[in-house]
Amino acid sequence: MNKQIGFIGCGKMGQAMVEGMIRAGVVPADSIKVSTSSEATLFKVTEKLRVQGSLNNKEIARFADFLFLAVEPSSYAKVIEEIKHDVKEDSVIILLAAGISIQTVESTFGRAVKVVRTMPNTPSLVREGMTAFAVNESITEEDLANVEDILNAFGKTELLKEELMDAVPAISGSSPAYVYMFIEALADGGVRDGIPRKQAYKMAAQAVLGAAKMVLETEKHPGSLKDDVCTPGGSTIRAVAALEESNFRASILNAMKACTRKSKGLEEE
């Protein structure tokens, strides 16, 4: 890709994205420029990733063909006001913050801009992320292809209608936390039965990783894959029945509902 990519803000998620882009060969390191709020962080990031850096957000805005806004949601309005006259006419603005709508960004810029709203997740740190994204009407087919190339550098992507973006945290944004709890519980069960803790975590995590890969690569229904493990009268079907008696699936659905309500601003603080 013969484009320049800029990051305003470059925390752990931003660094994971930059590293993924470079490793995947989407762009060379010298085509990426980042800004941070402190010299110490800027030095750390540029030394680690060998990219260009600046403490000046406007400089990043003037540089980037694809501009990631990787700051806290509360800082979006301030940052956009700061850079809006410096952003290139044809730049694609990529949002990383939860709860910031495309319309809000368009209104803050006060002119027609190309906007992509994304919701990545923390497994992007190991290049196994799941990023859902939505685009506005100004995004061209070429822009879309380039955005997909960039986002696929650190995992997988799904293009959604923007009205569905508030549902994304529950299914892929926040769900790694539920999975970590599941892995921890599996490991606890192993330790209870005598397996050393370190080995229990490894066995549980690999089982989850393998199961997820089976779903993605075979494209079989998860229920069918579950049935393949359950022999009649066997130990697995007994475990499945015990989970159903404990409202396993209902608990997950309730957790997702709570997450989505919060994402939509329907829950009180």
Side-chain angles (χ1 to χ4, degrees):
M1 185 188 302
N2 187 25
K3 300 290 184 180
Q4 298 182 138
I5 298 175
F7 277 77
I8 294 180
C10 198
K12 287 184 178 180
M13 184 67 75
Q15 291 174 46
M17 291 178 170
V18 170
E19 188 171 1
M21 292 174 206
I22 295 170
R23 288 196 180 191
V26 175
V27 291
D30 60 8
S31 293
I32 300 175
K33 197 168 192 176
V34 306
S35 67
T36 65
S37 58
S38 74
E39 286 189 24
T41 302
L42 187 65
F43 178 79
K44 179 182 176 182
V45 172
T46 54
E47 281 293 298
K48 175 186 175 184
L49 301 172
R50 300 297 176 183
V51 296
Q52 303 179 67
S54 174
L55 294 172
N56 188 329
N57 292 337
K58 292 184 177 185
E59 187 178 331
I60 306 301
R62 290 191 291 268
F63 170 85
D65 298 306
F66 291 85
L67 179 61
F68 284 81
L69 299 184
V71 297
E72 294 294 323
S74 59
S75 299
Y76 259 66
K78 179 182 176 181
V79 168
I80 291 173
E81 285 293 338
E82 177 188 0
I83 67 170
K84 66 182 182 180
H85 299 301
D86 296 276
V87 172
K88 293 180 182 181
E89 190 67 28
D90 205 39
S91 285
V92 176
I93 312 300
I94 302 176
L95 319 178
L96 293 183
I100 303 294
S101 71
I102 289 174
Q103 183 180 8
T104 297
V105 171
E106 291 172 332
S107 297
T108 308
F109 269 95
R111 61 179 173 86
V113 285
K114 297 179 177 183
V115 185
V116 178
R117 178 180 173 183
T118 73
M119 173 55 68
N121 64 7
T122 56
S124 299
L125 296 169
V126 292
R127 292 179 296 284
E128 288 292 350
M130 182 65 243
T131 303
F133 70 104
V135 303
N136 71 353
E137 293 180 355
S138 297
I139 295 292
T140 66
E141 288 297 320
E142 181 182 358
D143 294 330
L144 184 60
N146 284 330
V147 167
E148 288 180 326
D149 283 345
I150 292 170
L151 299 180
N152 281 329
F154 41 87
K156 299 185 185 300
T157 58
E158 284 294 333
L159 175 63
L160 298 177
K161 295 179 180 178
E162 193 187 8
E163 56 262 35
L164 297 176
M165 288 297 288
D166 284 333
V168 171
I171 190 168
S172 65
S174 299
S175 63
Y178 328 152
V179 177
Y180 300 143
M181 292 173 71
F182 179 53
I183 290 171
E184 185 179 30
L186 287 175
D188 283 347
V191 171
R192 180 189 58 194
D193 293 335
I195 297 174
R197 172 68 64 181
K198 185 176 181 180
Q199 291 175 296
Y201 278 133
K202 181 178 180 180
M203 294 168 70
Q206 181 60 38
V208 171
L209 175 63
K213 200 166 183 178
M214 287 283 286
V215 173
L216 291 172
E217 294 192 2
T218 68
E219 296 187 348
K220 291 178 69 175
H221 191 285
S224 176
L225 291 170
K226 179 263 296 177
D227 290 347
D228 290 344
V229 189
C230 296
T231 55
S235 57
T236 305
I237 191 61
R238 287 180 181 272
V240 168
L243 286 171
E244 295 289 16
E245 289 169 4
S246 300
N247 296 315
F248 181 66
R249 283 192 255 202
S251 295
I252 293 169
L253 290 170
N254 286 334
M256 293 177 70
K257 182 178 180 180
C259 185
T260 299
R261 286 181 59 82
K262 181 64 177 178
S263 297
K264 290 183 175 181
L266 300 176
E267 288 286 348
E268 297 282 337
E269 290 291 341

